[in-house]
């Protein structure tokens, strides 16, 4: 098989890039390790910045997102028994975010790929990129007993944090930067009316908590837990009791609890690999960088990678202009690091660190007090939360 751009990974990054390129007449093949059902069962975050939403519309898959996604003009930070609002719209001169589950977004992307007869190969086993340091790279994979080869001009690694793309780059040609946090988030999805129409990020001496939502009838709640905890340690009743203890009284009192329909623990990690390109292999999204979920940057950090790559590949194929491909890693990393900084800052501001000193605690308190006493500090938070320009 031959294609122009071979994409490893059928998550949001890989699907969006293949859809955008297809619409500009560029051939792609997406190789996804799992079944479509498996990919669509994963529950991930749900806050989209407008840059990502604009790409979805450009890819002609934004209709349901625009119909069912909720525009949020602000969110709350709860601390010391009160909640204070961050008015995103006012602080950014009109910008907002869209709350729309990543599962739904991935479903829209698959449907978009189907409509255009895009090639997405599921259950592709043992995918491997080859010869990407030459001008003739290719991919191989197995499907049952069949071994398949896909020749291509470029390989794009969109295969997430545990994917094969980054691992195929010689170790001495790249550098990894990492911070692992000493806690995780226990998340619960529940078919209940969300306690607040806008997100509440809460900091409390017992730990961080977040009240989020997917729709007017579907709540998504999180609490910070030690990494040694497992889901079995947390019955629904225990989870809601702990969540309520970490929220201001009026919020806790208004909370409707109900059985969980999903419950999982995610460790928090910051990670970046540099460069994001090796020869004809380009990394994008979680394959190159991940953030703790606190600043809602996960998918939004992938957005700029896809934007830069999309335009770089279109310039290559339509204008024989490779400037975008040459500058990809540098440009992508410049924005990636800003997302890293913001996610780290919000995580540090709102969580309880097991090893923090009394001095560290005072700094955290002062950071919060400064934030809500300075419109400029709040504006900085807001501009990062809605997404910096590409
Ligand atoms: N071969 C083929 N596919 C693979 C391989 C492999 N060796 N390894 C992983 N994959 C697939 C995964 O099954 C997954 O569907 O690659 C896909 C990667 O998708 P994501 O992990 O969702 O990463 P990405 O598309 O970059 O999405 C960005 O934003 O909100 C965050 O972490 C969240 O997933 C989200 C990310
Ligand atoms: C979520 O709804 O899952 C969510 C929202 C905001 C975050 C993280 C997760 O910062």
């Amino acid at each position: 098989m031959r294609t122009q751009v071979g994409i490893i990974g059928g998550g949001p990054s890989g699907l969006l890039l293949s859809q955008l390129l297809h619409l500009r007449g560029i051939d792609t093949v997406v190789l996804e390790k799992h079944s479509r059902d498996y990919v669509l069962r994963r529950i991930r975050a749900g806050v989209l910045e407008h840059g990502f939403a604009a790409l979805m519309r450009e890819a002609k898959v934004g209709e349901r997102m625009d119909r069912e996604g909720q525009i949020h003009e602000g969110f709350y930070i709860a601390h010391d028994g009160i909640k204070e609002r961050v008015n995103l719209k006012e602080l950014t001169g009109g910008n907002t975010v869209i709350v729309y589950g990543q599962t739904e977004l991935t479903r829209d992307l698959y449907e978009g790929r189907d409509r255009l007869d895009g090639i997405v190969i599921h259950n592709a086993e043992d995918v491997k990129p080859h010869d990407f340091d030459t001008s003739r790279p290719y991919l191989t994979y197995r499907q049952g007993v069949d071994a398949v080869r896909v020749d291509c001009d470029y390989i794009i690694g969109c295969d997430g944090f545990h994917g094969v793309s980054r691992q195929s780059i010689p170790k001495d040609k790249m550098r990894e930067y990492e911070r692992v946090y000493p806690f995780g988030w226990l998340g619960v999805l529940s078919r209940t009316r969300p306690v607040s129409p806008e997100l509440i990020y809460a900091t409390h001496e017992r730990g961080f908590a977040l009240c989020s939502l997917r729709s007017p009838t579907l709540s998504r709640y999180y609490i910070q837990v030690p990494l040694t905890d497992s889901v079995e340690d947390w019955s629904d009743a225990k989870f809601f009791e702990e969540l309520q203890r970490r929220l201001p009284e009026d919020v806790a009192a208004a909370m409707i609890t109900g059985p969980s329909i999903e419950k999982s623990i995610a460790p928090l990690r910051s990670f970046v690999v540099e460069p994001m390109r090796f020869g004809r292999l380009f990394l994008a999204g979680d394959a190159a960088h991940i953030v703790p979920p606190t600043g809602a940057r996960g998918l939004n950090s992938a957005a700029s990678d896809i934007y830069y790559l999309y335009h770089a590949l279109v310039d290559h194929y339509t204008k024989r202009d490779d400037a975008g491909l040459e500058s990809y890693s540098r440009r992508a990393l410049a924005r990636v690091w800003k997302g890293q900084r913001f996610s780290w800052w919000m995580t540090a501001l709102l969580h309880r660190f097991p090893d923090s000193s009394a001095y560290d605690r005072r700094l955290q308190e002062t950071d919060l007090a400064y934030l809500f006493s300075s419109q400029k500090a709040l504006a900085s938070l807001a501009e990062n939360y809605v997404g910096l320009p590409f």
Side-chain angles (χ1 to χ4, degrees):
M1 192 172 4
R2 163 140 196 105
T3 189
Q4 289 174 303
V5 180
I7 298 175
I8 309 179
S13 301
L15 294 171
L16 179 57
L17 182 64
S18 83
Q19 178 79 358
L20 287 164
L21 292 176
H22 193 136
L23 289 166
R24 300 296 292 266
I26 299 166
D27 272 355
T28 64
V29 169
V30 176
L31 301 180
E32 165 57 49
K33 180 179 180 174
H34 293 289
S35 68
R36 185 185 289 212
D37 276 356
Y38 179 96
V39 174
L40 289 177
R41 267 204 309 273
R42 290 192 295 233
I43 307 281
R44 295 266 176 85
V47 177
L48 301 182
E49 62 183 36
H50 277 274
F52 195 96
L55 280 176
M56 290 289 287
R57 292 181 198 111
E58 184 160 354
K60 301 201 186 309
V61 287
E63 210 176 283
R64 196 161 68 97
M65 172 191 76
D66 281 329
R67 204 171 54 241
E68 295 176 15
Q70 303 170 51
I71 297 205
H72 282 218
E73 296 183 358
F75 66 86
Y76 294 95
I77 293 183
H79 64 96
D80 304 300
I82 56 160
K83 65 190 209 306
E84 298 196 78
R85 186 158 185 262
V86 180
N87 189 329
L88 294 171
K89 193 167 184 181
E90 236 171 68
L91 289 160
T92 60
N95 215 338
T96 54
V97 291
I98 303 178
V99 170
Y100 188 61
Q102 196 175 308
T103 312
E104 300 310 312
L105 176 139
T106 310
R107 193 185 304 283
D108 297 342
L109 283 162
Y110 273 128
E111 285 170 10
R113 295 287 47 225
D114 288 348
R115 277 199 298 279
L116 297 181
D117 287 329
I119 305 179
V120 181
I121 293 163
H122 282 281
N123 304 309
E125 293 165 63
D126 203 15
V127 176
K128 283 202 183 83
H130 303 271
D131 289 2
F132 42 85
D133 52 346
T134 74
S135 56
R136 290 165 180 250
Y138 64 97
L139 291 160
T140 55
Y141 67 96
R142 276 186 308 105
Q143 204 152 38
V145 290
D146 297 330
V148 187
R149 171 175 167 141
V150 185
D151 289 283
C152 47
D153 301 331
Y154 296 100
I155 297 174
I156 316 295
C158 295
D159 47 352
F161 184 60
H162 299 288
V164 65
S165 304
R166 190 181 70 252
Q167 287 163 22
S168 306
I169 300 174
K171 280 267 176 265
D172 60 331
K173 302 287 184 208
M174 60 179 187
R175 176 147 183 211
E176 296 181 347
Y177 300 82
E178 184 171 48
R179 168 164 295 181
V180 178
Y181 299 85
F183 40 74
W185 277 18
L186 168 63
V188 157
L189 191 66
S190 158
R191 242 180 251 298
T192 48
R193 184 164 60 79
V195 70
S196 162
E198 291 186 338
L199 274 66
I200 304 174
Y201 292 82
T203 180
H204 187 272
E205 63 188 27
R206 299 181 65 86
F208 170 83
L210 170 61
C211 304
S212 181
L213 64 160
R214 291 289 176 277
S215 76
T217 55
L218 199 53
S219 304
R220 180 70 167 159
Y221 296 120
Y222 298 94
I223 54 172
Q224 170 188 351
V225 294
L227 283 171
T228 42
D229 281 15
S230 66
V231 168
E232 290 71 43
D233 298 328
W234 289 92
S235 66
D236 291 351
K238 186 174 165 194
F239 173 86
F240 278 107
E241 194 185 316
E242 184 60 36
L243 173 64
Q244 285 169 303
R245 288 180 80 167
R246 297 182 188 188
L247 296 169
E249 266 175 34
D250 56 326
V251 179
M255 179 166 288
I256 297 170
T257 64
S260 62
I261 49 177
E262 195 264 357
K263 195 188 281 163
S264 52
I265 294 182
L268 268 64
R269 186 195 297 261
S270 299
F271 175 89
V272 181
V273 68
E274 291 188 358
M276 286 171 59
R277 170 200 184 169
F278 183 72
R280 286 182 172 239
L281 172 63
F282 293 76
L283 302 177
D286 275 21
H289 44 81
I290 53 176
V291 284
T294 324
R297 295 294 82 211
L299 193 53
N300 299 311
S301 287
S304 44
D305 298 352
I306 299 307
Y307 176 88
Y308 296 137
L309 264 181
Y310 161 50
H311 287 284
L313 288 162
V314 168
D315 286 351
H316 169 80
Y317 285 108
T318 61
K319 297 191 227 155
R320 293 177 174 273
D321 175 357
D322 283 352
L325 289 173
E326 294 304 331
S327 62
Y328 169 69
S329 179
R330 185 180 48 75
R331 286 179 79 197
L333 282 165
R335 188 169 186 275
V336 161
W337 274 109
K338 290 180 188 147
Q340 293 280 325
R341 185 206 69 82
F342 178 65
S343 309
W344 159 80
W345 173 77
M346 239 179 117
T347 303
L349 178 71
L350 300 175
H351 289 74
R352 284 300 145 124
F353 287 70
D355 54 354
S356 71
S357 64
Y359 180 87
D360 298 332
R361 285 287 314 122
R362 279 281 183 270
L363 279 188
Q364 256 181 336
E365 288 162 18
T366 307
D367 213 350
L368 256 184
Y370 169 58
L371 185 63
F372 287 107
S373 65
S374 159
Q375 285 299 299
K376 287 185 177 135
L378 267 181
S380 164
L381 160 62
E383 97 168 329
N384 279 277
Y385 194 88
V386 300
L388 295 171
F390 292 166

